[in-house]
Amino acid sequence: MTTKLNLPRVADFLHEVGMLKRTPRTGYQFLGTGSENVAEHSFRTAIIGYILAGMAGADREKTVYMCLFHDIHETRVGDMNYVNRLYNKTNDRTALEDALQGTGLEDEVIPLHDELEANYTLEAGLAEDADQLDLILNLKEQEDLGNKYATRWLEYAWERVKTEYGRKLAGAIFESDHTAWWFESQDSRWWIERKHKK
């Protein structure tokens, strides 16, 4: 539990975190369709982490926190796709340390980053899978909309999912239709009510 926060520095940090809403995920440049910013990605990744941790009987709090903080360093280094990473190196830990410096959050957040990077715990593995599953959800949507390259990307994304829990959820995503939750639902009120309003 954080006992001593430097609130002016926390305010600065929160402004910095807001930059993730304006930091695009760059892989979509190659895919040709779709878009997402890092804040959007981090939000759904945290939800996925919560679900995976529940499936695995793991520490939900730790898993979700790893998901929430996993891309904070991108406020300073940006999001680099796999081609960019062949030619550019960033020091993600230093960027995170600098972002957190003086806030009072360092002792809580840096160990989460280190555990995730080392990937030696179940929670870290689940957080890694959550990161990939958010991408898989986006690729599935693009595949459903007709992007044939998304289908090829899905094959590679599947290979990066490592835990049995992540693979089970990935399998369900692969079998899903991204519109089914609203278009094929048993609840027809949206259609009936819309029809009557005309």
Side-chain angles (χ1 to χ4, degrees):
M1 175 77 125
T2 304
T3 55
K4 183 136 174 106
L5 293 176
N6 178 346
L7 294 183
R9 271 297 295 125
V10 169
D12 292 342
F13 173 67
L14 293 175
H15 281 296
E16 181 171 346
V17 169
M19 289 297 294
L20 296 178
K21 295 187 290 186
R22 294 186 291 280
T23 304
R25 301 253 293 159
T26 59
Y28 297 98
Q29 296 168 345
F30 296 107
L31 189 61
T33 62
S35 65
E36 181 182 40
N37 64 50
V38 177
E40 292 166 335
H41 164 66
S42 296
F43 173 75
R44 188 161 62 178
T45 297
I47 299 293
I48 297 167
Y50 178 87
I51 291 166
L52 290 177
M55 290 170 63
D59 183 332
R60 269 187 160 154
E61 187 174 312
K62 181 187 274 193
T63 305
V64 169
Y65 289 166
M66 282 187 199
C67 293
L68 279 173
F69 285 100
H70 83 283
D71 278 343
I72 292 292
H73 60 276
E74 292 186 1
T75 62
R76 293 179 181 234
V77 302
D79 177 77
M80 288 199 294
N81 58 57
Y82 292 102
V83 173
N84 296 153
R85 290 181 198 165
L86 293 173
Y87 306 100
N88 297 285
K89 301 295 178 211
T90 61
N91 191 328
D92 298 346
R93 191 179 197 276
T94 298
L96 181 61
E97 287 171 351
D98 290 348
L100 293 168
Q101 185 177 13
T103 62
L105 296 168
E106 302 93 316
D107 292 342
E108 294 180 19
V109 176
I110 298 293
L112 293 171
H113 170 84
D114 292 345
E115 183 175 332
L116 184 59
E117 286 295 304
N119 199 2
Y120 62 87
T121 63
L122 174 58
E123 289 77 13
L126 296 171
E128 287 280 351
D129 279 0
D131 188 19
Q132 293 305 314
L133 288 171
D134 177 67
L135 173 62
I136 287 171
L137 284 159
N138 285 323
L139 291 173
K140 183 63 173 80
E141 178 178 343
Q142 294 309 308
E143 179 186 53
D144 289 352
L145 294 171
N147 186 327
K148 66 181 181 181
Y149 298 106
T151 304
R152 292 176 64 190
W153 281 33
L154 279 166
E155 296 171 17
Y156 294 107
W158 168 262
E159 292 303 318
R160 292 197 297 264
V161 180
K162 301 300 182 193
T163 70
E164 64 177 292
Y165 311 100
R167 288 209 166 226
K168 284 180 184 175
L169 185 51
I173 294 166
F174 273 75
E175 296 299 318
S176 70
D177 180 307
H178 82 282
T179 67
W181 70 272
W182 64 273
F183 193 72
E184 297 175 12
S185 74
Q186 299 300 314
D187 188 347
S188 60
R189 286 177 298 174
W190 71 273
W191 174 251
I192 294 167
E193 289 174 10
R194 173 87 175 142
K195 218 161 69 169
H196 287 311
K197 287 182 181 177
K198 286 188 173 182

